[in-house]
Amino acid sequence: METLTVQTQPIEGQKPGTSGLRKKTRVFMEPRFLENFIQSIFTGIGGVAGKTLVLGGDGRYFNDRAAQVILRMAAAQGAVRVIVGQNALLSTPAASNVIRKRKTDGGIIMSASHNPGGPDEDFGVKFNTPNGGPAPEEVTDRIFEATKVIECYDIAVTEDLDLSTVGEIKLGDMVVEVVDPVADYAELMESLFDFDAIAGLLKSGFRIRFDAMHAVTGPYARAILEDRLGAAAGSVINAVPSPDFGGGHPDPNPIWAKDLMREMFRAGAPDFGAASDGDGDRNMILGAGAYVTPSDSLAVLAANAHLAPGYARGLAGVARSMPTSGAVDRVAAARGLDCYETPTGWKFFGNLLDAGRVTLCGEESAGTGSDHVREKDGLWAVLLWLNILAVTGRSVSQMLADHWAEFGRNYYSRHDYEGVDKASAEALMNNLRSQFATLPGRSFAGKTVASADEFAYDDPVDGSHSAGQGIRIGFEGGGRAVFRLSGTGTVGATLRVYLEDVCEDPEAMNRDPQEALADIIAAADAIAGIRERTGRPEPDVRT
Ligand code: G16
């Protein structure tokens, strides 16, 4: 095998964000952009000589080309084996599973997750460590440092490999093992859930609709929900992954999955609805006429997970990202479970899961997962819900009503202002920071500020410190507004405003969240000057 050493130089803007490096696809396709970043990953992890890696992606535009480049670079640099999903496809949770199960040295996942795909949309690359989880900051910092000093990279000069057939191919001394992307994952799901109970539910006439949003979960959902569990053919829709996700935005929320929302809120709706995102780690849960917020979903799952065989022993503890609502905290308090609050991003759960301190964790951004892998897992959340519904015999809306009656309700919504001018967004955040000392005690829209600070996290397992993780304004009575700038966007800045209020009044459990949160929303705007500073009268997305 001929190898080539290519001279290069650092390229600006290769700092990994909340979840790897995400850029416009055309940026990734510029000469040496992908190669520089891959080389920097390899350097950041101490080289790949003698190592076994996993490679997969969500099938978006450029996934196939990028896979060939990554394989050539790994082969030239002495990797012994790369386990790659057929056609270079692996959902993020499936990749996490293979990394763990095969005891590899980590893996590269090609995905920009829920961001749209295509030549004019987004592409991304992230590295997951041998525990199967997204690289922690200490590793991404090393990768970033490497991007700043790179001088050259080695790459094999070969024909493209045929990744369409399961089996082994040699690339020089390296083995490329092409695997069925679904098989190991399906086996793992079967080990966690009572497939007979779920199959029984589906046989009883319980109707489901799973929207794979033209993304990577289609084949997984078809294989598990339809083929193994017996859901009616056609229950999984938009099931064929396409490089541009059918021209859609594969983010499972009420805005981008509106066809499914419409279907679930019409007369005669299916009993259960769900959607997942580009790379299969996010989920949205619906019932007939019911939308479950991700924060509530985490809380309901925490309260009921023991009904599934994989969690029958109970939970070690739970964790949520800081902006996620405190609904799960109420469950933890009632059940005597430890509850951790981490910064945004799945990578912060890894240490807690590895240390056995938590079993379930979740984020308000439609991410829920457990210690079965080290990523959030969309289809897993769907199966856990189905298992719980099968055992309890309740509907989704009954589950929610019962949950709120028992634990109280945290009204919750996130407002996103996308593609905002970066300088204005940063000025808004700085202006908030400058008010920390003076806000407490002042009232806005009838809400009195009780606290104002910026969240920082001290990891209880490795002692690492992460500062600047979101601005929190707490109100008397328990409500709050949180402000963050997204770390996954590719254009300008995305301002996320997370709004929450607590409700214990049994008569007030069924209000529209935007209405229930109206005072908090008004107070957040009065304090931060959102409309004035962003020039936006309304958020682009309300979850
Ligand atoms: C967003 C969400 C986070 C999530 C991250 C990555 O980050 O707010 O909760 O962890 O995306 O999720 P995914 O891998 O599904 O893209 P940010 O920084 O944009 O708010």
Side-chain angles (χ1 to χ4, degrees):
M1 182 186 69
E2 188 193 341
T3 67
L4 202 66
T5 300
V6 180
Q7 301 302 315
T8 184
Q9 52 200 15
I11 298 174
E12 282 282 305
Q14 295 209 328
K15 185 173 171 43
T18 312
S19 184
L21 184 65
R22 291 189 193 167
K23 293 282 173 195
K24 286 288 162 207
T25 310
R26 287 198 197 281
V27 173
F28 258 105
M29 291 168 68
E30 280 167 15
R32 301 188 314 280
F33 190 92
L34 172 72
E35 291 85 345
N36 268 25
F37 190 63
I38 297 300
Q39 182 59 54
S40 301
I41 293 177
F42 290 174
T43 306
I45 62 170
V48 293
K51 291 185 175 172
T52 294
L53 298 174
V54 171
L55 174 64
D58 61 16
R60 68 181 58 227
Y61 187 86
F62 193 52
N63 187 105
D64 49 354
R65 304 296 321 137
Q68 299 289 344
V69 169
I70 295 168
L71 289 171
R72 283 190 193 117
M73 289 181 67
Q77 301 188 35
V80 287
R81 179 176 290 262
V82 177
I83 304 165
V84 52
Q86 195 175 12
N87 295 316
L89 293 180
L90 274 175
S91 77
T92 287
S96 181
N97 180 43
V98 178
I99 292 170
R100 293 167 65 76
K101 185 173 174 186
R102 299 287 304 273
K103 301 197 178 354
T104 65
D105 299 291
I108 291 175
I109 302 175
M110 301 169 289
S111 170
S113 189
H114 54 285
N115 297 16
D120 297 316
E121 298 295 351
D122 294 352
F123 190 77
V125 170
K126 66 174 174 168
F127 179 73
N128 282 30
T129 45
N131 75 344
E137 281 188 335
E138 166 231 334
V139 177
T140 55
D141 286 349
R142 282 209 302 272
I143 294 171
F144 181 46
E145 289 310 311
T147 69
K148 294 193 279 191
V149 295
I150 184 169
E151 291 176 351
C152 60
Y153 57 84
D154 289 341
I155 186 162
V157 184
T158 61
E159 300 276 293
D160 279 358
L161 299 179
D162 175 9
L163 303 177
S164 66
T165 314
V166 169
E168 292 194 349
I169 316 166
K170 286 284 270 193
L171 184 53
D173 290 335
M174 183 177 93
V175 176
V176 177
E177 180 184 342
V178 181
V179 297
D180 174 349
V182 177
D184 288 330
Y185 179 83
E187 191 182 288
L188 175 64
M189 293 301 112
E190 199 156 1
S191 74
L192 296 172
F193 301 116
D194 186 343
F195 270 31
D196 289 342
I198 301 174
L201 177 73
L202 295 171
K203 218 173 172 180
S204 72
F206 185 94
R207 289 178 304 130
I208 67 171
R209 165 78 47 114
F210 183 100
D211 189 344
M213 302 189 86
H214 306 277
V216 77
T217 351
Y220 294 84
R222 274 230 168 114
I224 296 173
L225 296 173
E226 293 187 9
D227 300 348
R228 296 206 185 192
L229 292 168
S235 298
V236 180
I237 58 166
N238 301 322
V240 179
S242 85
D244 68 347
F245 307 116
H249 193 143
D251 194 1
N253 65 38
I255 306 292
W256 298 118
K258 53 180 168 316
D259 291 351
L260 179 66
M261 286 293 282
R262 205 173 300 126
E263 174 74 9
M264 296 305 296
F265 280 83
R266 67 168 176 81
D271 301 288
F272 182 84
S276 63
D277 72 331
D279 60 334
D281 56 2
R282 296 185 173 203
N283 73 89
M284 176 166 79
I285 302 292
L286 298 153
Y291 164 69
V292 185
T293 69
S295 294
D296 276 342
S297 179
L298 175 63
V300 170
L301 296 182
N304 297 285
H306 59 279
L307 300 174
Y311 305 94
R313 288 187 321 276
L315 308 178
V318 291
R320 64 166 170 84
S321 67
M322 183 274 286
T324 303
S325 97
V328 73
D329 303 36
R330 293 170 181 264
V331 175
R335 302 281 165 85
L337 296 171
D338 285 340
C339 181
Y340 296 85
E341 185 179 40
T342 59
T344 296
W346 206 261
K347 61 189 172 206
F348 292 101
F349 294 131
N351 280 343
L352 297 170
L353 292 163
D354 283 350
R357 293 195 185 208
V358 304
T359 309
L360 289 198
C361 38
E363 298 190 278
E364 55 66 42
S365 54
T368 344
S370 87
D371 58 359
H372 69 290
V373 287
R374 292 294 181 273
E375 286 279 4
K376 52 189 182 259
D377 187 345
L379 197 46
W380 167 89
V382 168
L383 290 165
L384 181 50
W385 263 94
L386 289 173
N387 197 144
I388 291 167
L389 296 176
V391 173
T392 60
R394 291 186 226 171
S395 67
V396 173
S397 38
Q398 272 171 322
M399 287 297 299
L400 277 180
D402 293 350
H403 187 90
W404 294 332
E406 182 176 355
F407 299 99
R409 179 169 183 184
N410 290 50
Y411 280 105
Y412 190 83
S413 181
R414 191 184 80 206
H415 290 186
D416 287 345
Y417 298 81
E418 294 174 347
V420 172
D421 173 60
K422 240 185 174 148
S424 312
E426 274 157 15
L428 181 151
M429 296 296 279
N430 285 332
N431 172 54
L432 281 171
R433 287 187 187 101
S434 72
Q435 299 183 67
F436 286 165
T438 53
L439 279 174
R442 292 181 62 195
S443 293
F444 301 85
K447 290 277 170 192
T448 305
V449 176
S451 60
D453 68 359
E454 187 152 23
F455 181 58
Y457 180 64
D458 290 298
D459 187 305
V461 179
D462 67 11
S464 59
H465 180 75
S466 304
Q469 298 294 334
I471 290 172
R472 309 185 282 196
I473 312 287
F475 298 102
E476 283 177 6
R480 65 172 188 163
V482 171
F483 298 82
R484 268 187 76 247
L485 298 185
S486 158
T488 58
T490 56
V491 184
T494 293
L495 171 69
R496 303 201 195 280
V497 186
Y498 309 82
L499 305 142
E500 176 176 3
D501 209 356
V502 294
C503 172
E504 316 267 343
D505 175 4
E507 303 302 315
M509 291 293 171
N510 285 308
R511 300 178 64 192
D512 170 60
Q514 301 303 324
E515 196 189 297
L517 291 165
D519 290 347
I520 302 260
I521 292 169
D525 189 45
I527 294 168
I530 304 169
R531 280 183 292 184
E532 189 192 317
R533 286 174 178 275
T534 62
R536 302 285 174 78
E538 294 281 328
D540 299 283
V541 173
R542 287 187 182 89
T543 63

